[in-house]
Amino acid sequence: MDLSDSAGKTRKTVAAAVRKRDVLPYILLFILLAGLLAVLAGAMLPPYYHAVPALLWSLGFCVSGMLLGFLFGIPRTLPSGTVNMAPPEDRGNGKSRTTDDTSAAPGNADTNAATSSNTLFLGTPTPMEINSNLVEVSDWLTKIIVGVGLIELKSLPGSARSMAAFIAPSLATDTPTAMAVVGGIMLFFSVHGFLIGYLLTRIYLSIMIKRADSLVKNESVRLESGKEIEVTELSRLQQKSLDDMQEAVTQLLLAHPPDGGAVTALAGMPTAQKPASLVLWLDDHPRNNTLLVEQLERDNIKVDQAVSTRQALAMLQRRHYALLITDMARMENGRRIMDAGVRTVHEVRQAQPTLPIIVYCSKDTVASYGTEAEAAGARFITTSGTSLLATVNKLVQEERQDGGQSTQ
């Protein structure tokens, strides 16, 4: 299913930020190459010093600066047991979460056992402790380097001059020129190397460490079907489900839905007594439908998923499905087609005229292409996950009744 325009704009903004961030390594590399070309130019043009020693010392100072920048840029981790609170605006929107809510008092064991049988989730695994030795070593070395540097600040120019005098003979040119060249090499490549190490560590390594820590801490929820979903993704899908339920309840208060008896009777039936059915769900982002698929499978409705029209048509030829669910805008053959759902309805109608088709998409695409999808033969068009589940149960029940009457 497609997200709303606001979510699309947010994704575009994030993508633009990522692209801007990815330009940084090329800028740093360009500056480094410019410095190396300047060193080579000094070897081929006056003052004609030796190029190989100059390049080796340049790279050496650059690597030393990168190591120092790496030590200064290693991201700090929260101490064990610290709760990372969300910002006030996020907490106001219901986005905050804690990591210790799974623990319960002994007196509530019976309640928890009864509740666990009526939930989609089996809970999160026990988190593991993250090894932060590198962070601690970096912290110690950083403090030592800063402390010693402040103490020896007066002697720093003399030490730099001594280092330049030690390196100058390797360039095989007159001493004043060699001292000036070495001084420039030390200053440029040390500072640039520090910036490379610090910025790349701060921007990229912090992301890699956060992802690795998330995997180690098992910040995911395992569903009853065995699938795992990240907590952040689960929160997003749950919020959407709550919005859908609120909208459905509002509609129920305004008017009673027609033919709701079959759905209600089916919902009250134990899952083990419901006959199994099979539906096909076409969506190029199946991850967005994880909770809805889980709920259908809990109702003994098995779901096969396809990501393209071609794959869906091939699956329809191989197996019998009670109905088809499709989104509207979708990537097909590397291109984003806004009315892909309408085209899918047309093609499926030609292959299987009696197959019920449900279009599940965003409100914007319904406003743009809903009429076309209905004219093409879509049985039901909705933007609500709650309405989708009710309709699927109703159509599956009708298909079961028709199948039972045909066998009699």
Side-chain angles (χ1 to χ4, degrees), residues 178-193:
M179 291 283 290
V181 171
V182 171
I185 289 176
M186 292 172 57
L187 181 61
F188 176 83
F189 287 98
S190 297
V191 174
H192 186 60

Side-chain angles (χ1 to χ4, degrees), residues 330-362:
R330 185 168 58 248
M331 293 293 295
E332 294 281 359
N333 299 322
R335 295 188 305 111
R336 183 166 182 80
I337 302 176
M338 298 304 297
D339 62 341
V342 178
R343 302 184 186 186
T344 300
V345 174
H346 274 294
E347 296 185 28
V348 174
R349 272 285 162 264
Q350 295 177 359
Q352 298 189 18
T354 60
L355 180 69
I357 302 176
I358 300 175
V359 178
Y360 177 51
C361 55
S362 65

Side-chain angles (χ1 to χ4, degrees), residues 128-326:
M128 299 176 63
E129 183 69 23
I130 301 301
N131 189 336
S132 59
N133 291 340
L134 180 62
V135 177
E136 295 176 359
V137 171
S138 169
D139 192 27
W140 297 336
L141 291 178
T142 301
K143 293 178 180 178
I144 292 174
I145 292 172
V146 172
V148 173
L150 292 176
I151 294 175
E152 303 294 334
L153 188 60
K154 293 182 179 180
S155 61
L156 184 61
S159 300
R161 193 177 299 107
S162 301
M163 177 67 70
F166 174 76
I167 299 174
S170 63
L171 302 185
T173 186
D174 59 284
T175 303
T177 302
M179 291 283 290
V181 171
V182 171
I185 289 176
M186 292 172 57
L187 181 61
F188 176 83
F189 287 98
S190 297
V191 174
H192 186 60
F194 177 84
L195 291 177
I196 292 176
Y198 180 80
L199 292 176
L200 295 186
T201 301
R202 195 75 183 86
I203 297 175
Y204 293 95
L205 185 63
S206 59
I207 298 176
M208 296 171 62
I209 290 178
K210 183 178 180 179
R211 290 176 178 172
D213 289 353
S214 298
L215 293 176
V216 174
K217 290 180 179 179
N218 290 325
E219 292 185 353
S220 61
V221 173
R222 188 173 66 256
L223 305 178
E224 286 186 354
S225 61
K227 301 175 184 177
E228 288 196 3
I229 182 173
E230 295 180 0
V231 174
T232 53
E233 181 71 9
L234 174 63
S235 299
R236 186 183 70 83
L237 296 178
Q238 282 183 323
Q239 184 61 45
K240 187 177 183 306
S241 298
L242 291 175
D243 294 340
D244 291 342
M245 291 178 63
Q246 184 176 4
E247 181 179 356
V249 170
T250 302
Q251 294 177 357
L252 287 174
L253 293 176
L254 295 176
H256 294 285
D259 300 332
V263 178
T264 306
L266 184 64
M269 185 185 301
T271 302
Q273 299 179 12
K274 297 178 182 179
S277 298
L278 185 63
V279 303
L280 178 60
W281 196 320
L282 172 57
D283 195 325
D284 57 340
H285 294 92
R287 187 178 183 181
N288 293 336
N289 309 317
T290 302
L291 292 184
L292 295 176
V293 171
E294 183 73 16
Q295 184 61 50
L296 289 174
E297 293 185 350
R298 282 170 56 87
D299 292 335
N300 211 14
I301 300 175
K302 305 303 178 184
V303 179
D304 287 346
Q305 301 192 48
V307 296
S308 67
T309 303
R310 180 181 301 177
Q311 182 185 7
L313 292 174
M315 296 174 69
L316 286 172
Q317 293 178 356
R318 291 195 300 265
R319 306 186 68 177
H320 171 73
Y321 293 95
L323 58 90
L324 169 68
I325 306 172
T326 179

Side-chain angles (χ1 to χ4, degrees), residues 83-86 95-102 124 231:
V83 177
N84 189 10
M85 295 297 293
K95 297 180 181 179
S96 61
R97 61 180 177 88
T98 59
T99 57
D100 299 328
D101 291 341
T102 56
T124 56
V231 174

Side-chain angles (χ1 to χ4, degrees), residues 56-76:
L56 290 177
W57 283 112
S58 299
L59 294 176
F61 281 110
C62 183
V63 172
S64 300
M66 290 173 62
L67 178 61
L68 189 61
F70 171 76
L71 293 176
F72 275 79
I74 292 179
R76 297 289 300 274

